[in-house]
């Protein structure tokens, strides 16, 4: 009975469990992000920067001032079957040394990759590509910064085009990074006391059979939840995600993946609810 009441309460709380600050590829500072969440009437927010926890202290301080519940989180890139997937670690202890060692390893990979991306773009005729992208990145230099730079330089008009023609596969600004494998990444999150969430499952373009293999492996190595609701998820996508979450006994998570760039359409906290017939990962933290 108690569980049922808690579940209903959590479903009524305006929640966003996937967002970015300028410590990775977002635009806002952690404080600005928390203030925006408050102004959107969010009660619960996860800051989940790529491969870094550097923004969490500032976010927590602002959240305390505004009586908003912050869930300390991180979004970690992982390799699975030669592909990159993203795992959000919700409710992590950022002081955990195993987690931090893993994140440090990824931060170094990112620095090396960014240099290679800069060189590739330079060879394709884009002068000072590295320096121009770096000028947009106060901390970590990501592919998003290269993409925004190419848009600002009028080389491309939107994010999808720029990723397709410049930053993926064998395109001039693409450089592979050897992220840790899925099991290792989930392991870092678990050892830091967090819940591992497979982020934006339908953004990878996997076939249904590849997706089921991924989810089976994710569950086997200790994955706990699936991002069932994202910005602009259709009812059909939510139904598809719900089916998969049920099949692999995963909790549902939800998140906008808000970054704050003016040319991106995700808005903070404006999300459909997770289905009432699925366990909701927020209940783990209430
Ligand atoms: P990175 O982690 O540096 O490889 O950068 C990945 C980030 O690039 C993702 O987290 C997204 O924010 C962004 N991204 C990747 N593909 C796209 C796309 N097609 N449109 C917009 N943003 C994208
Ligand atoms: Mn991103
Ligand atoms: Mn992601
Ligand atoms: Mn993200």
């Amino acid at each position: 009975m108690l569980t049922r009441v808690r579940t209903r309460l959590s479903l009524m709380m305006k929640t966003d469990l996937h967002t970015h600050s300028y410590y990775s590829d977002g635009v806002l500072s952690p404080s600005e992000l928390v203030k925006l969440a408050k102004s959107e009437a969010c009660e619960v927010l996860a800051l989940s920067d790529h491969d870094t926890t550097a923004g969490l202290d500032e976010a927590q301080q602002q959240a305390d001032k505004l009586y908003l519940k912050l869930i300390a989180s991180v979004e970690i890139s992982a390799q699975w079957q030669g592909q990159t997937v993203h795992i959000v670690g919700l409710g992590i202890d950022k002081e955990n040394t195993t987690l931090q060692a893993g994140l440090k390893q990824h931060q170094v990979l990112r620095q090396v990759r960014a240099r290679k991306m800069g060189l590739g773009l330079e060879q394709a005729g884009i002068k000072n590509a590295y320096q121009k992208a770096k000028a947009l990145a106060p901390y970590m230099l990501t592919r998003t910064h290269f993409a925004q730079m190419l848009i600002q330089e009028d080389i491309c008009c939107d994010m999808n085009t720029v990723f397709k023609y410049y930053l993926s596969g064998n395109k001039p600004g693409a450089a592979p990074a050897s992220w840790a494998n899925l099991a290792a990444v989930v392991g870092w999150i678990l050892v830091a006391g967090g819940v591992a969430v497979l982020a934006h499952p339908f953004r990878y373009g996997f076939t249904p059979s590849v997706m089921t293999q991924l989810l089976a492996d994710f569950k086997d190595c200790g994955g706990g939840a699936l991002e069932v609701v994202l910005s602009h998820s259709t009812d059909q996508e939510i139904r598809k995600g719900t089916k998969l979450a049920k099949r692999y006994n995963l909790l549902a998570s939800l998140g906008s993946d808000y970054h704050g760039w003016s040319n991106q359409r995700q808005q903070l906290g404006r999300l459909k609810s997770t289905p009432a017939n699925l366990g909701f990962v927020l209940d783990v933290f209430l």
Side-chain angles (χ1 to χ4, degrees):
M1 183 60 198
L2 186 61
T3 316
R4 262 208 231 147
V5 173
R6 281 178 60 197
T7 303
R8 262 190 235 123
L9 269 180
S10 64
L11 286 174
M12 283 159 53
M13 296 173 85
K14 196 166 176 185
T15 300
D16 193 330
L17 299 180
H18 186 160
T19 68
H20 297 274
S21 78
Y22 65 22
Y23 281 99
S24 65
D25 58 350
V27 172
L28 301 182
S29 69
S31 314
E32 288 166 337
L33 187 80
V34 170
K35 284 183 198 161
L36 178 64
K38 190 74 187 177
S39 73
E40 290 287 337
C42 278
E43 292 164 274
V44 186
L45 176 75
L47 170 60
S48 53
D49 273 317
H50 295 284
D51 297 320
T52 181
T53 57
L56 292 177
D57 281 341
E58 182 186 324
Q60 186 63 63
Q61 280 165 20
Q62 191 62 51
D64 290 346
K65 282 187 201 156
L66 298 178
Y67 302 102
L68 184 142
K69 183 171 176 64
L70 183 89
I71 299 183
S73 303
V74 62
E75 180 177 18
I76 310 181
S77 300
Q79 269 202 83
W80 177 79
Q81 308 259 342
Q83 311 267 359
T84 298
V85 294
H86 285 178
I87 310 298
V88 171
L90 291 177
I92 41 119
D93 167 14
K94 73 176 177 58
E95 307 303 334
N96 182 273
T97 50
T98 306
L99 172 67
Q100 286 303 339
L103 296 182
K104 179 73 199 165
Q105 181 189 318
H106 278 199
Q107 288 156 18
V108 173
L109 288 175
R110 283 179 172 281
Q111 284 167 2
V112 174
R113 184 185 66 155
R115 288 280 176 195
K116 288 188 191 156
M117 290 171 69
L119 281 177
L121 291 171
E122 197 86 29
Q123 279 161 8
I126 297 148
K127 291 233 173 317
N128 298 320
Y130 179 87
Q131 289 80 357
K132 284 177 188 158
K134 186 84 188 89
L136 298 177
Y139 296 95
M140 176 188 281
L141 180 48
T142 69
R143 282 197 299 167
T144 303
H145 298 103
F146 279 95
Q148 292 291 346
M149 179 275 288
L150 291 167
I151 292 169
Q152 287 182 20
E153 294 281 306
D154 269 340
I155 288 160
C156 267
C157 61
D158 64 66
M159 293 287 273
N160 271 339
T161 316
V162 81
F163 272 92
K164 188 165 170 198
Y165 293 106
Y166 285 88
L167 302 178
S168 56
N170 57 2
K171 298 300 173 353
S178 308
W179 310 121
N181 68 39
L182 179 67
V185 167
V186 172
W188 301 343
I189 292 168
L190 296 184
V191 82
V195 177
V197 184
L198 178 68
H200 40 65
F202 305 123
R203 216 181 282 161
Y204 307 113
F206 293 157
T207 60
S209 79
V210 172
M211 182 54 72
T212 56
Q213 278 174 45
L214 168 60
L215 285 171
D217 286 354
F218 179 61
K219 181 73 188 177
D220 273 354
C221 59
L226 182 69
E227 223 170 56
V228 172
V229 177
L230 290 86
S231 275
H232 309 291
S233 283
T234 62
D235 290 343
Q236 194 195 3
E237 284 164 342
I238 295 174
R239 274 198 298 275
K240 223 162 92 178
T242 301
K243 239 170 131 175
L244 289 170
K246 278 203 167 146
R247 179 161 164 201
Y248 291 95
N249 199 17
L250 295 165
L251 299 170
S253 188
L254 84 176
S256 63
D257 205 3
Y258 177 82
H259 287 71
W261 296 91
S262 56
N263 53 12
Q264 293 191 302
R265 59 189 195 120
Q266 295 98 328
Q267 288 176 306
L268 190 67
R270 309 225 183 139
L271 295 158
K272 294 177 179 169
S273 301
T274 57
N277 60 354
L278 266 184
F280 183 17
V281 72
L282 177 57
D283 283 308
V284 174
F285 302 103
L286 294 183

